[in-house]
């Protein structure tokens, strides 16, 4: 804290600058304010560790609900269809491009931004609990988009047999990898993580507990690595399909 005498008197430091002397009072006040803000932020951060706080953060607006978003997208498509001549083939192309955009965008966002950001800025167990909720939705969404891509190719006049075989292969590989992550690898990995958390959160741990933590750490690392490799395969196949798709577009 600054004393009243120091706040009441402007302390001057003589330098070789043309101004001659500089008043340090604003600097001292600024330093005091920043210390106060830092202390308040630290106190808030300490309180943020309580994960059991209940209650909604806020009431979502109508446009910020799943139904509101779905209606907004549907209205945009309907307006486009009403104002232009939309042939069935154009509608199929639109669905195909929309599915590809969701597929690629979700993979890139989750792989390079969401996970890394949370990992660097959240406590480890909190990060794991959030990911255990996000991953099933992520894998379900990307698998669904992948199947829509394959389905729309099958329903096209040429069918899958008439589509470029490298495109079918890329979508087939990504579909198998996505399904494996969604239905088997992610549940297995998450189960091992929560087993480890249960032991780590015991009030006191025995030597057997410590050994179990190390064992679960290795098993979790192995399955997490398999899941990450699968996700990389999906991303690579998606980008490869995007390259093939770009070669068939005319802007």
């Amino acid at each position: 804290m600054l004393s009243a005498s120091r706040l009441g008197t402007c302390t001057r430091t003589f330098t070789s600058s043309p101004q001659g002397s500089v008043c340090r009072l604003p600097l001292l006040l600024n330093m005091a304010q920043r210390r106060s803000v830092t202390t308040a932020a630290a106190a808030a951060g300490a309180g943020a560790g309580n994960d059991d706080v209940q209650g909604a953060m806020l009431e979502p607006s109508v446009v910020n609900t799943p139904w509101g978003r779905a209606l907004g997208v549907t209205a945009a498509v309907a307006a486009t269809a009403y104002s232009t001549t939309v042939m069935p083939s154009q509608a199929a192309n639109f669905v195909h491009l929309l599915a590809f955009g969701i597929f690629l965008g979700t993979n890139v966002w989750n792989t390079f931004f969401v996970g890394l950001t949370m990992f660097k800025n959240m406590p480890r167990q909190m990060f794991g609990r959030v990911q255990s909720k996000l991953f099933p939705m992520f894998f379900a969404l990307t698998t669904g988009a992948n199947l829509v891509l394959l389905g729309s190719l099958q329903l096209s006049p040429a069918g899958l047999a008439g589509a470029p075989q490298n495109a079918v292969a890329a979508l087939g590989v990504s579909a198998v990898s996505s399904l494996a992550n969604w239905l088997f690898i992610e549940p297995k990995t998450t189960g091992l993580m929560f087993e480890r958390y249960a032991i780590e959160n015991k009030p006191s741990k025995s030597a057997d507990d410590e050994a179990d933590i190390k064992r679960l750490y290795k098993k979790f690392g192995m399955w997490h690595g398999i899941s990450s490799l699968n996700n990389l395969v999906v991303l690579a196949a998606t980008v490869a399909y995007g390259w093939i798709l770009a070669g068939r577009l005319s802007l």
Side-chain angles (χ1 to χ4, degrees):
M1 291 291 292
L2 295 175
S3 65
S5 59
R6 291 189 71 183
L7 290 175
T9 305
C10 178
T11 305
R12 296 184 176 276
T13 302
F14 293 94
T15 67
S16 58
S17 65
Q19 289 80 8
S21 63
V22 179
C23 180
R24 296 182 57 199
L25 179 57
L27 176 61
L28 294 172
L29 286 171
N30 185 45
M31 291 173 62
Q33 290 169 350
R34 294 179 72 171
R35 280 197 296 268
S36 175
V37 170
T38 302
T39 303
N50 184 4
D51 297 335
D52 300 325
V53 176
Q54 301 296 318
M57 181 179 292
L58 52 79
E59 280 295 324
S61 62
V62 175
V63 296
N64 200 29
T65 61
W67 280 110
R69 298 188 193 103
L71 287 173
V73 172
T74 303
V77 174
T80 303
Y82 181 76
S83 61
T84 60
T85 304
V86 178
M87 302 300 293
S89 60
Q90 185 173 344
N93 291 342
F94 171 75
V95 170
H96 195 82
L97 286 175
L98 181 63
F100 176 73
I102 292 172
F103 194 25
L104 178 61
T106 305
N107 269 293
V108 170
W109 180 246
N110 184 76
T111 303
F112 296 107
F113 297 94
V114 174
L116 291 175
T117 301
M118 291 194 300
F119 180 74
K120 293 177 180 179
N121 294 280
M122 296 177 69
R124 177 169 58 82
Q125 288 197 9
M126 184 186 296
F127 166 71
R129 288 194 293 272
V130 172
Q131 289 288 65
S132 73
K133 302 296 184 183
L134 287 177
F135 271 137
M137 294 188 290
F138 166 66
F139 291 131
L141 178 61
T142 52
T143 301
N146 199 152
L147 295 178
V148 168
L149 289 171
L150 283 169
S152 56
L153 281 181
Q154 174 60 32
L155 294 175
S156 65
L160 284 176
Q165 291 307 294
N166 54 355
V168 176
L171 291 178
V173 168
S174 61
V176 171
S177 298
S178 293
L179 281 167
N181 257 342
W182 180 27
L183 300 178
F184 178 69
I185 300 173
E186 186 277 329
K188 178 71 174 179
T189 308
T190 299
L192 290 169
M193 179 187 72
F194 280 120
E195 281 187 54
R196 178 183 169 192
Y197 286 179
I199 300 174
E200 287 178 338
N201 293 334
K202 285 183 176 181
S204 59
K205 291 181 280 293
S206 64
D208 288 341
D209 290 333
E210 296 292 348
D212 283 339
I213 289 175
K214 291 181 180 179
R215 176 181 59 83
L216 290 168
Y217 177 83
K218 289 182 179 179
K219 289 187 68 175
F220 172 81
M222 181 188 73
W223 283 103
H224 185 273
I226 295 172
S227 179
S228 298
L229 179 60
N230 254 21
N231 192 60
L232 180 60
V233 169
V234 172
L235 181 60
T238 307
V239 173
Y241 180 71
W243 181 265
I244 298 167
L245 186 62
R248 300 172 69 86
L249 290 177
S250 178
L251 299 179

